[in-house]
Structure formats: C-alpha cells, structure tokens
Amino acid sequence: MVDDAKLIIFTAPSGAGKTTIVHRLLEADSRLAFSVSACTRKKRPNETNGKHYYFLTEEQFKKKIENGEFIEWEEVYPGIFYGTLSSEVERIARQGKAVVFDIDVKGALNIKNKFGNKALAIFVKPPSLEALRERLKRRNSEDEQSLAKRLERVSYELSFENCFDHVIVNDDLDKAVKEARLIIGKFLEQ
Ligand code: 5GP
C-alpha cells in the first residue's frame, strides 16, 4: 500500500517557513494529506496531539523504534526524537492521497533514498541566515537554549541543499507557495 503512494517531502532549516508553505498547500489541494509525525518534544500551547504531532514520551518512542514502527526517525536535537510512523503513511495511502511530509533534512534524504521516483523532495531555503535568525526569534516559541540549538543546526542543514529535487527560496511566501504548487502539480500528473 505504501508502495503505491506518492510522497512529497518538504525539508528546510528550522524557521525557513516550510511549515507555513505546507499548510497553505494542504488547505487548497484535497489530493494532499499531512503525515503527522511522532515526537518527544513538549507540546506548544497552540498544538493538538494527533494533528500537529503524536506527542510521545521518550520511552514510548523508543518502544516504537524497537518494534520497527518507523519509516525513519532522527534525534533532531540532542535528546529530542522525531519520526515518521509507517501506520501514518499507510493511513493516508489508503485514502488515495499523496503524503506530505514536513521533516528534517536527514529524514527527508532517508525517505527520498528509500522511495526514489515515488518521492519528490523539496528543500525550502531562507533568503539569508540573518532572516532566519530573526524569524526564529519572532516566533518566540523557544527559550534561549533551544533557540541556540536550532541555530547551531541551521548551517549544517543548509549544506545539504544540493541533494534535493527542487530548492525553493522563501523570500516571498506567495511566490514560494505558487512555485511549490507548480512543482507538485507536475509530480502528481506523472
Ligand atoms: P518542530 O519542533 O519545530 O516542530 O520541528 C523540528 C524539526 O523536526 C523540523 O525540522 C521538523 O521538520 C522536523 N521533523 C518533524 N517531524 C519529523 C519526522 O517525522 N522525522 C524527522 N526526521 N524530522 C521531523
């Protein structure tokens, strides 16, 4: 079942705006559905379990690793785990929809390598490092320590941009969404 599904992977350094782009795409295209990841970080006040993430304890997450329930998982920040459950992709594939992922760079590469042409991997790039820093600060969802952790990771993640099918620079949200729609349209028609 998973083998029949088309997979659309969005990845980016934290704060590049990929989540906003993904939301805009999902709102407007009923052929797409969002893959809800599992993670062990704390739920933010505006988030709902089962909609934004499946929030798990580290123990629950590790049990699922042992049971082979993940297509991919990563310790994205030290001690904080994120992963894509096979059951989630199967659920969406059963609906006959394309699965949209919002995941980190390594997870994106893992899924791309596993599924090849069935997967479209899009890297969203911030216009500059400074813009990214400002965006993360404005979001204000991080304490100082976790903001620092996120920024440390950014340069590392930017070094992977050449590994993806498409790179979208998010300097103008409407333009970026339009570009993503065009790319996805072509992919779904293939
Ligand atoms: P946030 O905590 O800001 O929601 O997400 C932090 C990072 O984890 C983002 O880059 C996000 O895309 C990534 N992430 C979310 N879900 C997954 C997943 O299932 N697998 C991997 N590898 N990364 C994920």
Side-chain angles (χ1 to χ4, degrees):
M1 183 58 94
V2 174
D3 290 344
D4 298 334
K6 286 201 166 181
L7 312 179
I8 300 167
I9 309 156
F10 279 88
T11 192
S14 181
K18 74 177 178 309
T19 304
T20 313
I21 295 175
V22 165
H23 284 161
R24 291 270 292 267
L25 293 168
L26 287 162
E27 264 166 24
D29 194 338
S30 59
R31 298 172 298 176
L32 312 177
F34 182 63
S35 163
V36 178
S37 297
C39 78
T40 64
R41 76 151 160 74
K42 271 196 221 140
K43 191 167 85 58
R44 295 177 188 145
N46 60 330
E47 291 178 323
T48 309
N49 187 33
K51 182 177 171 203
H52 297 91
Y53 284 105
Y54 300 111
F55 292 96
L56 304 180
T57 63
E58 190 169 326
E59 197 188 347
Q60 290 168 327
F61 196 100
K62 290 197 166 153
K63 192 90 206 145
K64 289 191 187 296
I65 297 175
E66 267 170 39
N67 294 342
E69 292 182 49
F70 287 107
I71 291 181
E72 64 77 36
W73 63 270
E74 291 293 331
E75 188 174 353
V76 174
Y77 305 108
I80 305 184
F81 297 83
Y82 294 79
T84 305
L85 294 160
S86 312
S87 58
E88 184 64 10
V89 177
E90 279 157 12
R91 178 181 72 77
I92 297 170
R94 272 198 301 275
Q95 298 170 1
K97 297 196 175 194
V99 188
V100 176
F101 301 87
D102 172 347
I103 64 180
D104 92 312
V105 169
K106 265 171 127 189
L109 288 175
N110 283 337
I111 293 187
K112 178 66 190 173
N113 289 338
K114 217 180 236 180
F115 293 91
N117 288 341
K118 295 239 165 73
L120 172 73
I122 299 174
F123 186 88
V124 179
K125 211 179 147 178
S128 69
L129 263 182
E130 199 39 52
L132 187 73
R133 192 172 289 124
E134 280 314 307
R135 221 177 264 177
L136 277 176
K137 273 192 186 155
R138 264 204 313 273
R139 189 159 84 184
N140 213 12
S141 58
E142 314 302 322
D143 55 35
E144 278 301 314
Q145 198 191 1
S146 96
L147 180 66
K149 270 194 214 169
R150 276 167 194 264
L151 286 173
E152 244 172 57
R153 202 179 162 86
V154 168
S155 311
Y156 168 72
E157 291 191 322
L158 281 172
S159 71
F160 287 95
E161 76 170 280
N162 293 328
C163 305
F164 295 91
D165 297 318
H166 293 275
V167 176
I168 296 179
V169 179
N170 187 17
D171 50 357
D172 173 328
L173 182 61
D174 289 333
K175 213 173 106 227
V177 170
K178 208 166 155 191
E179 199 177 335
R181 277 202 188 113
L182 275 177
I183 295 166
I184 289 172
K186 281 194 193 135
F187 174 68
L188 292 182
E189 279 158 23
Q190 273 168 24

